[in-house]
Amino acid sequence: MSLKGPMPTELSRADLRRQVASLLVVRGSGHWSDGQRRYPRWELTNAQLQRLLADGVGGVILLGGSAAELRLRTDALQSWAQQPLLICADVEEGVGQRFEGASWLVPPLAVGRLHGRDPERAVQLARQYGQCTGRQARRLGLNWVLGPVCDVNNNPANPVINVRAWGEDPACAGALAAAFVRGCQAEGVLACAKHFPGHGDTSSDSHLELPVLPHSRERLEAVELPPFRQAIAAGVASVMTAHLQLPALDTEQPATLSAPVLDQLLRRHLGFSGLVVTDALVMEAITRHHGPADAAVLAFTAGADLILMPADADAAIDGLVEAIEAGRISRQRLNESLERRQQALARTHHSAPASVQEALEGLVSTEEQQLARELVVLSLEHQRQPGAGGALPTSGCGVNLIRLDTQLNCPQLPAMAPALLRPAAAGYEACLIDGRSPSPWSGDALAPLALDRLPQGPVLLQLFVRGNPFRGSAGGDEPWPAVVQQLLAAGRLAGLTVYGSPYVWQQLQPLLPAAIPAGYSPGQMPLAQALLLEQLGLEAAALEGGFTD
């Protein structure tokens, strides 16, 4: 047996593997135990996370759980690693969007709609929005926020961006995204401009397929690129790629795997010197065409620094190591990405409270509570019933017909949600329509609702409709105009609320007689429900939580 230890080549390969691993970001659950994982297809077990972090993996993206669980989770993850980690989350609408107990803010497009009326106030609110998100993220152990969305949502049929965008035109989207960046990064938390070079004008979802953006370079310069330019000028620490095809720039590879997009356009033309991170490589737009090793190598070769959610982390590491050893990726190129990662970590300079209790006690400030409420109030739209103050008529046997994407794992509709309790107190029995189910549709395009399947009485129609990943639709293709006309013809429409997509509200509001109480909120969270229903005359129910605080 040799007593000399590992050969230099073996040690060199081990070091190389750790260096490569530090550029991966893997997915974990915000919940503590493996049995609580909501998406086990993508969320690694604790044993897998511990092994990968011990082997040098340098980043984790988290989803789900409470604020307290998140802080415990981030502390544990860092203890399993032998280096500082990049720990991130998709908290585009505030930390409370993903982790209960923190602030859940209205979607960014709500601020964008305000920008048309009061640009200065909108920019100020966008900066406060970023500060709130960054401060709460830092207290809970996140040092990287995967926002702002810099896509220009100029396509109402966009199934995945929709209200996640800050604007429907480049000037608005850019000004507000840049303000968010400044607010967030002032708290010592990295921001991320996404999805480069622009996912706003697509009618398909890259979680499900590869969209094509058929625009010219001139059009990209005029519409898609300006918000990214403004975010870069604001000092954004990272940019996330988009899984979409741009034939004007690259006829072969999607943006995530394209050197003309990442190296030539983003690095050289726009002058971005920070971290470039891929969108999740488990998305169908990539996995339909490439295995995990191939995808990671192509993305890195194209100019990405960080590999987010590879379909197989070990395969991605092996593929990158082999490509470097074979000379297809230079050591200098690897060192550049490692240096960018270190520079980004150095920007996360503000410390979090030492204990979980301290983090939670000061998590949501009075100012942040006021911000959340103000954002909802400023974004509400409603029409009042003449002579009745906009009140929804009470009923002993009404129907509260609620449309959701899915009844499972639906954080906007907990048991104490105002959209459930307030109509119930007025005599409306809840009936949930699952957007993924055909019931209670009749199959008749002119009268799509099978009224005989519903209880008798007046109907309060509440639509939770917006663009979301994996749905493939933002609700605009559903027959809600026909449903509204059908209920009006039957004399059964008592009121209407739309939470989420402004485009659905714009379709339906002109169909309503002035006597029908109706309203719209971009937000779907309980606070938005409470404040909108209040405008329609439904006050807080006895069992309801403090959603108007």
Side-chain angles (χ1 to χ4, degrees):
M1 177 182 292
S2 170
L3 300 179
K4 296 181 180 180
M7 295 291 291
T9 54
E10 295 174 333
L11 179 61
S12 174
R13 195 171 203 275
D15 286 344
L16 174 61
R17 187 176 177 83
R18 290 191 67 85
Q19 288 180 332
V20 166
S22 72
L23 299 176
L24 263 64
V25 181
V26 296
R27 170 85 171 260
S29 171
H31 292 288
W32 184 260
S33 70
D34 291 341
Q36 292 176 290
R37 291 178 298 157
R38 296 178 183 175
Y39 306 99
R41 176 182 173 188
W42 301 300
E43 292 168 353
L44 302 180
T45 65
N46 283 332
Q48 290 171 320
L49 285 170
Q50 288 188 57
R51 178 182 66 80
L52 287 169
L53 294 178
D55 288 346
V57 164
V60 182
I61 177 173
L62 295 171
L63 175 65
S66 68
E69 286 179 296
L70 176 61
R71 178 54 195 268
L72 290 169
R73 192 71 160 144
T74 55
D75 284 352
L77 291 170
Q78 190 58 71
S79 73
W80 295 342
Q82 299 177 21
Q83 62 176 325
L85 296 175
L86 287 167
I87 307 180
C88 61
D90 272 312
V91 286
E92 299 165 1
E93 299 168 27
V95 177
Q97 178 192 13
R98 305 296 189 191
F99 305 99
E100 187 177 359
S103 294
W104 188 354
L105 306 176
V106 296
L109 194 59
V111 188
R113 289 164 68 83
L114 172 64
H115 186 269
R117 306 192 304 270
D118 189 347
E120 185 176 344
R121 181 70 179 124
V123 169
Q124 179 186 8
L125 287 169
R127 185 180 180 104
Q128 291 176 266
Y129 196 124
Q131 287 175 317
C132 173
T133 304
R135 192 187 77 88
Q136 293 182 14
R138 174 172 50 80
R139 294 182 73 87
L140 298 176
L142 300 173
N143 56 8
W144 188 18
V145 164
L146 299 185
V149 168
C150 286
D151 307 311
V152 179
N153 196 72
N154 57 354
N155 185 344
N158 193 314
V160 67
I161 301 302
N162 198 252
V163 293
R164 298 166 62 198
W166 285 92
E168 297 165 306
D169 65 82
C172 172
L176 299 181
F180 177 95
V181 167
R182 293 186 178 99
C184 180
Q185 294 190 165
E187 294 294 330
V189 172
L190 308 176
C192 182
K194 62 187 188 183
H195 307 81
F196 186 82
H199 206 319
D201 195 10
T202 61
S203 56
S204 57
D205 180 2
S206 53
H207 294 81
L208 304 172
E209 57 185 307
L210 180 62
V212 176
L213 199 64
H215 300 312
S216 68
R217 174 62 180 268
E218 292 72 24
R219 153 61 195 253
L220 293 173
E221 291 284 356
V223 177
E224 277 74 24
L225 296 183
F228 290 96
R229 288 184 183 275
Q230 290 191 252
I232 292 169
V236 71
S238 61
V239 170
M240 179 181 287
T241 69
H243 300 332
L244 50 82
Q245 191 90 44
L246 295 105
L249 301 179
D250 192 328
T251 58
E252 296 183 2
Q253 296 289 8
T256 294
L257 311 179
S258 171
V261 175
L262 302 188
D263 183 51
Q264 295 176 28
L265 180 60
L266 180 57
R267 289 279 187 219
R268 301 185 190 184
H269 182 65
L270 298 187
F272 180 64
S273 59
L275 278 174
V276 175
V277 58
T278 70
D279 203 346
L281 293 186
V282 294
M283 291 161 61
E284 292 291 329
I286 300 298
T287 58
R288 284 188 183 186
H289 308 282
H290 302 281
D294 187 33
V297 170
L298 287 171
F300 197 80
T301 302
D305 298 302
L306 301 181
I307 305 301
L308 176 65
M309 289 178 62
D312 182 323
D314 291 303
I317 295 169
D318 289 340
L320 287 165
V321 168
E322 290 170 8
I324 293 168
E325 289 180 331
R328 289 184 287 137
I329 298 173
S330 70
R331 295 288 182 123
Q332 178 182 351
R333 171 70 183 82
L334 173 64
N335 290 336
E336 289 170 357
S337 290
L338 293 170
E339 178 62 23
R340 290 187 193 110
R341 181 181 181 276
Q342 287 302 111
Q343 290 174 352
L345 279 166
R347 297 177 66 175
T348 61
H349 51 83
H350 294 176
S351 62
S355 70
V356 175
Q357 182 175 345
E358 288 175 322
L360 296 176
E361 284 176 350
L363 181 60
V364 181
S365 69
T366 301
E367 293 77 10
E368 288 165 347
Q369 290 180 5
Q370 294 170 345
L371 172 67
R373 183 184 180 92
E374 180 181 7
L375 287 168
V376 173
V377 170
L378 287 172
S379 60
L380 292 181
E381 299 179 29
H382 56 86
Q383 66 179 37
R384 294 181 174 275
Q385 184 180 15
L392 186 78
T394 57
S395 171
C397 59
V399 182
N400 178 18
L401 188 60
I402 301 177
R403 185 265 183 223
L404 300 163
D405 281 346
T406 173
Q407 297 178 40
L408 302 174
N409 189 22
C410 185
Q412 63 267 42
L413 206 71
M416 297 292 104
L420 292 172
L421 294 186
R422 295 194 184 189
Y428 290 81
E429 177 184 353
C431 177
L432 305 184
I433 297 176
D434 193 314
R436 300 181 183 184
S437 168
S439 177
W441 305 120
S442 67
D444 185 339
L446 297 178
L449 200 62
L451 292 179
D452 58 346
R453 299 182 194 173
L454 295 177
Q456 295 298 312
V459 175
L460 168 62
L461 182 61
Q462 300 202 78
L463 306 180
F464 289 79
V465 183
R466 56 169 283 177
N468 274 319
F470 296 104
R471 279 205 57 239
S473 165
D477 55 344
E478 296 175 9
W480 298 115
V483 168
V484 167
Q485 292 172 326
Q486 178 186 7
L487 290 171
L488 286 170
R492 294 189 62 180
L493 185 63
L496 169 71
T497 60
V498 177
Y499 305 97
S501 173
Y503 311 114
V504 174
W505 169 245
Q506 289 164 6
Q507 276 187 310
L508 301 182
Q509 198 274 335
L511 304 176
L512 301 173
I516 299 293
Y520 164 72
S521 169
Q524 296 186 335
M525 70 289 284
L527 174 61
Q529 300 165 30
L531 295 178
L532 179 56
L533 291 171
E534 187 176 291
Q535 294 297 324
L536 303 189
L538 291 181
E539 302 297 334
L543 297 177
E544 187 179 316
F547 292 118
T548 57
D549 292 347

